[in-house]
Amino acid sequence: MQVFEFTKMHGLGNDMILIDDRAERIQNINAFAVRILHRNTGIGADSLLVVNNSDVADIRMRILNSDGSEAEMCGNGIRCFVKFAIEKGIIASSDFTVETLSGIKHPSAVIENGEITAIGVDMGEPKLDCMDIPVAAEGRFIDKTLFSHGKLFNVTSVNTGVPHTVAFVDDCDLLDVEYYGRDIENSPIFPKRTNVDFVQVIDRENIIMRAWERGCGCTMCCGTGACASVAACVLSGKTERKVNVHVEIGTLLIEWRDDNRLYMTGPAETVCEGKFFLY
């Protein structure tokens, strides 16, 4: 039997389990993720974040989805990761570098009266070429049409660390996110599948987003999806470059600055701590 100390956290409802595994005790991490993330027989969460040592950054973050697949990046996850690393004394600074499969990220924590009140993250430059997303097409996949279950969607695909397809809708609350999200995720036009973000534009500075995440399903928020959604809105001329992305229980601030980099600011909350017994 092995015992792992864990912390459960969430970023605007997108929940995750964090484990410090710098000692590299976890074996067969994909199966471990499936077991610990199961909502009936495990602790239950959308994803598992594992702290590892890094040779190229201050620390390394591994991201495992509930189906056991490994993700390149997680926007809500990295905010929780930052809070976890600082509060557990793993990192002494509020400004450090994190190695991910999508490159080195540069987060920073906002600390007021000793409390972390928000985390900002330089999410890097969005990838727009079909080859880099990837999409089985040429050039850029912007303002295209895509059918799902007989319904026509106006879509734009962007890679913000992981592949995303943004589908614009009239009313997010009237849409069956799982029904259409699962279908679009597995469309043959996306060789590595895709995350799907359904976006309702309110005005030039506010949008509503509902997320279907590749490997997880419906989640209450998706940070990389919020970044992709704003990029898609800007590319389609629907919003300004600084946008409030409203999800089910809160808001992320996303800014696509003139340096061509996307910046995300939002909260991270601790739910509970405990021990996971692996028999």
Side-chain angles (χ1 to χ4, degrees):
M1 181 185 72
Q2 287 182 291
V3 181
F4 295 89
E5 293 186 353
F6 73 88
T7 298
K8 185 169 181 177
M9 305 181 73
H10 78 89
L12 295 174
N14 182 195
D15 60 345
M16 52 212 67
I17 294 165
L18 291 94
I19 293 178
D20 180 0
D21 193 41
R22 287 174 294 167
E24 299 184 1
R25 296 175 59 231
I26 298 175
Q27 299 177 358
N28 193 351
I29 194 168
N30 306 89
F32 180 86
V34 171
R35 189 162 177 182
I36 197 170
L37 294 173
H38 197 285
R39 293 193 182 274
N40 300 106
T41 59
I43 298 167
D46 293 324
S47 58
L48 168 68
L49 306 184
V50 178
V51 182
N52 287 144
N53 293 311
S54 172
D55 295 327
V56 295
D58 292 316
I59 203 165
R60 181 187 180 200
M61 176 176 71
R62 292 190 71 180
I63 308 152
L64 285 298
N65 296 316
S66 56
D67 68 352
S69 61
E70 186 162 6
E72 299 90 339
M73 180 56 187
C74 177
N76 291 315
I78 196 170
R79 296 199 315 277
C80 292
F81 188 87
V82 169
K83 182 179 174 72
F84 177 81
I86 293 173
E87 293 185 343
K88 293 296 182 182
I90 299 170
I91 292 291
S93 171
S94 62
D95 188 355
F96 55 97
T97 55
V98 180
E99 177 189 355
T100 74
L101 286 179
S102 69
I104 297 175
K105 304 302 178 185
H106 301 266
S108 60
V110 179
I111 301 177
E112 299 176 356
N113 299 320
E115 296 289 332
I116 298 173
T117 57
I119 296 101
V121 185
D122 175 356
M123 296 289 284
E125 299 185 7
K127 296 177 181 178
L128 304 177
D129 191 273
C130 285
M131 182 174 62
D132 296 325
I133 295 171
V135 181
E138 295 183 356
R140 294 181 173 186
F141 206 69
I142 299 172
D143 283 332
K144 302 296 184 180
T145 54
L146 187 69
F147 279 95
S148 174
H149 293 305
K151 183 177 176 63
L152 181 66
F153 289 94
N154 172 258
V155 302
T156 292
S157 291
V158 183
N159 187 308
T160 52
V162 287
H164 279 273
T165 296
V166 179
F168 293 100
V169 299
D170 294 330
D171 192 331
C172 284
D173 291 334
L174 298 179
L175 188 82
D176 189 332
V177 172
E178 179 176 2
Y179 183 66
Y180 294 108
R182 187 187 303 278
D183 186 55
I184 295 173
E185 174 198 350
N186 293 286
S187 170
I189 199 171
F190 304 115
K192 293 185 177 181
R193 299 184 294 159
T194 185
N195 296 277
V196 188
D197 311 294
F198 297 98
V199 170
Q200 175 185 345
V201 178
I202 304 303
D203 56 39
R204 301 282 302 174
E205 296 178 346
N206 293 275
I207 64 174
I208 297 172
M209 183 193 75
R210 297 291 180 263
W212 173 267
E213 293 196 51
R214 178 188 63 171
C216 289
C218 290
T219 60
M220 294 180 72
C221 182
C222 178
T224 55
C227 291
S229 295
V230 171
C233 285
V234 172
L235 291 167
S236 301
K238 299 180 186 297
T239 67
E240 304 300 329
R241 299 178 73 91
K242 187 175 183 179
V243 178
N244 297 301
V245 181
H246 303 280
V247 295
E248 290 184 53
I249 61 170
T251 303
L252 285 174
L253 176 63
I254 308 296
E255 184 176 6
W256 192 3
R257 296 180 185 172
D258 292 339
D259 61 3
N260 196 38
R261 303 181 75 84
L262 287 156
Y263 293 82
M264 171 188 64
T265 304
E269 302 291 340
T270 299
V271 177
C272 64
E273 296 184 336
K275 294 181 180 180
F276 179 68
F277 295 82
L278 184 63
Y279 294 93

